[in-house]
Amino acid sequence: MEFFNKVGKMAIGSRLRMLTETMTDDAAQIYKLYDIDFQPKWFPVFYVLQEGGEFTITSIAKEIGHSHPSVSKIIAEMVKNGFVTEKKDKADGRRNMVSLSAKGREAGAKIQDQYTDVTGAVEELLSQANHDLWKAIEEWEYLLEQKTLLRRVQEHQKVRESNKVSIVPYEPQYATAFKALNEEWISKYFVMEEADYKALDNADSYIIDNGGLILVALYNDEPVGVCALLKMDDPDYDYELAKMAVSPKAQGKNIGFLLGQAIIEKAKALGGHKLYLESNTILKPAISLYHKLGFTKVAGRPSPYERANIQMELAL
């Protein structure tokens, strides 16, 4: 166990796999001990079939939490070894019905003593351990059902990567990046419009000189994200969140959220009471981000952009 103590908790998958292999090897020997020619991996299917009657592969898979192909493969092996019979459903010829064969029922009778002894041995193990592994497994299964390990790792990755991101005010040196980052995503999904060129070619005069501002996200000192706050002449809204763009190579680092949060704080600091934005519903990650930032959908206003088909607002 020195290796796992050295590597730590990130090796939990390897350690559980080793424990599973140990238990499976013992299980194979236990079946021989009770003179039952049986593979441990068949047990969940066999146990369900012991309840009697006929079952579809789909119902067995659902009961034991395995995939349909996995159960289908196990059934084929059990049929080959004479433990199971398979036949067409009389009511629906497209379905195969599975049940224990005479050999399977005989094994079911012989295995009862094994069940008793294995249960006793496992309970003995649990009583000797400081921690109840059975309850721990149940808890882990529940927690992973709520949020997978992959999702948890992705969240930790975002937090770590976001620590390398700094949000800075716009300077003329970022003019090229401001245009290029926006032009990249707009051209991918739509076409550049006249209003785009006005804002992107004249960031200072069109946005900053009119009371707005631009923020730039730097990742390892490289501009990888931008977002603008446009001053609005509107009875309901003070500012518009616009021209948010994140480089594809920097996505997954929480940069859009960090930019959005920073822009919202700037709008508050400038005395704004309500923010407005326009987008398109095919940009699902962007819409999800806006909801996460607190924006809600509102009735449409006339827009200078043909691509805009959703408007949202945020009370500050």
Side-chain angles (χ1 to χ4, degrees):
M1 294 301 104
E2 185 178 341
F3 170 75
F4 292 114
N5 290 333
K6 180 180 178 181
V7 176
K9 294 179 177 65
M10 68 177 180
I12 188 170
S14 298
R15 193 163 188 175
L16 287 173
R17 187 159 49 250
M18 181 178 290
L19 179 60
T20 299
E21 289 171 357
T22 299
M23 298 290 284
T24 302
D25 289 344
D26 274 354
Q29 296 301 316
I30 290 169
Y31 283 114
K32 290 181 180 179
L33 180 66
Y34 290 84
D35 194 29
I36 299 174
D37 185 17
F38 201 84
Q39 291 190 37
K41 65 179 179 179
W42 297 347
F43 171 71
V45 172
F46 180 78
Y47 192 85
V48 170
L49 293 176
Q50 269 192 292
E51 295 178 0
E54 298 179 329
F55 298 83
T56 64
I57 292 176
T58 300
S59 65
I60 296 172
K62 184 177 180 181
E63 175 73 17
I64 66 176
H66 285 202
S67 68
H68 189 284
S70 171
V71 173
S72 182
K73 184 178 179 181
I74 290 172
I75 292 295
E77 292 175 359
M78 295 179 75
V79 168
K80 184 178 179 181
N81 285 271
F83 287 95
V84 165
T85 59
E86 191 175 15
K87 61 183 180 181
K88 294 292 183 183
D89 184 359
K90 293 179 180 178
D92 186 348
R94 296 169 299 178
R95 300 191 308 176
N96 285 350
M97 303 303 294
V98 179
S99 60
L100 288 180
S101 63
K103 180 180 178 180
R105 291 191 295 274
E106 180 184 341
K110 289 174 63 177
I111 208 170
Q112 296 305 314
D113 288 342
Q114 179 180 332
Y115 285 170
T116 300
D117 296 344
V118 169
T119 299
V122 172
E123 288 178 347
E124 179 185 280
L125 261 174
L126 291 172
S127 69
Q128 293 172 353
N130 290 326
H131 306 286
D132 191 324
L133 179 61
W134 189 256
K135 289 183 179 179
I137 290 172
E138 285 184 347
E139 190 173 14
W140 271 67
E141 287 172 340
Y142 171 78
L143 292 171
L144 290 172
E145 186 178 330
Q146 304 306 305
K147 187 189 295 183
T148 65
L149 180 60
L150 172 62
R151 182 61 184 154
R152 292 169 190 271
V153 171
Q154 289 172 330
E155 289 178 356
H156 279 266
Q157 180 190 47
K158 275 190 174 184
V159 171
R160 179 179 54 79
E161 291 290 330
S162 66
N163 289 331
K164 300 178 184 178
V165 178
S166 56
I167 307 297
V168 301
Y170 173 85
E171 295 179 8
Q173 63 179 312
Y174 299 128
T176 300
F178 180 61
K179 180 177 181 179
L181 289 168
N182 272 284
E183 197 167 20
E184 184 175 22
W185 78 262
I186 295 170
S187 299
K188 179 179 179 179
Y189 295 101
F190 311 101
V191 295
M192 290 283 287
E193 301 179 41
E194 183 181 350
D196 292 311
Y197 289 112
K198 281 183 180 179
L200 299 177
D201 289 336
N202 309 282
D204 286 281
S205 60
Y206 188 82
I207 299 173
I208 297 172
D209 293 347
N210 285 324
L213 58 87
I214 300 170
L215 294 179
V216 180
L218 302 179
Y219 179 72
N220 292 332
D221 296 324
E222 179 187 353
V224 293
V226 292
C227 188
L229 189 67
L230 277 63
K231 188 75 175 74
M232 294 183 70
D233 181 16
D234 187 281
D236 298 317
Y237 302 106
D238 305 293
Y239 293 96
E240 177 184 356
L241 185 156
K243 295 294 178 274
M244 179 185 280
V246 176
S247 170
K249 66 182 180 182
Q251 288 174 359
K253 304 184 191 305
N254 219 28
I255 291 174
F257 185 72
L258 293 174
L259 276 169
Q261 280 189 319
I263 279 289
I264 290 169
E265 290 305 312
K266 287 289 186 182
K268 289 179 181 178
L270 291 170
H273 299 289
K274 196 175 276 189
L275 268 182
Y276 175 80
L277 69 78
E278 298 179 332
S279 188
N280 188 289
T281 49
I282 70 167
L283 304 172
K284 296 188 185 302
I287 301 300
S288 177
L289 170 63
Y290 299 144
H291 281 298
K292 188 177 178 181
L293 289 167
F295 283 86
T296 56
K297 187 178 182 301
V298 293
R301 269 174 152 73
S303 171
Y305 297 100
E306 289 186 17
R307 63 178 177 267
N309 69 354
I310 183 172
Q311 289 78 31
M312 306 180 78
E313 67 177 18
L314 172 67
L316 302 175

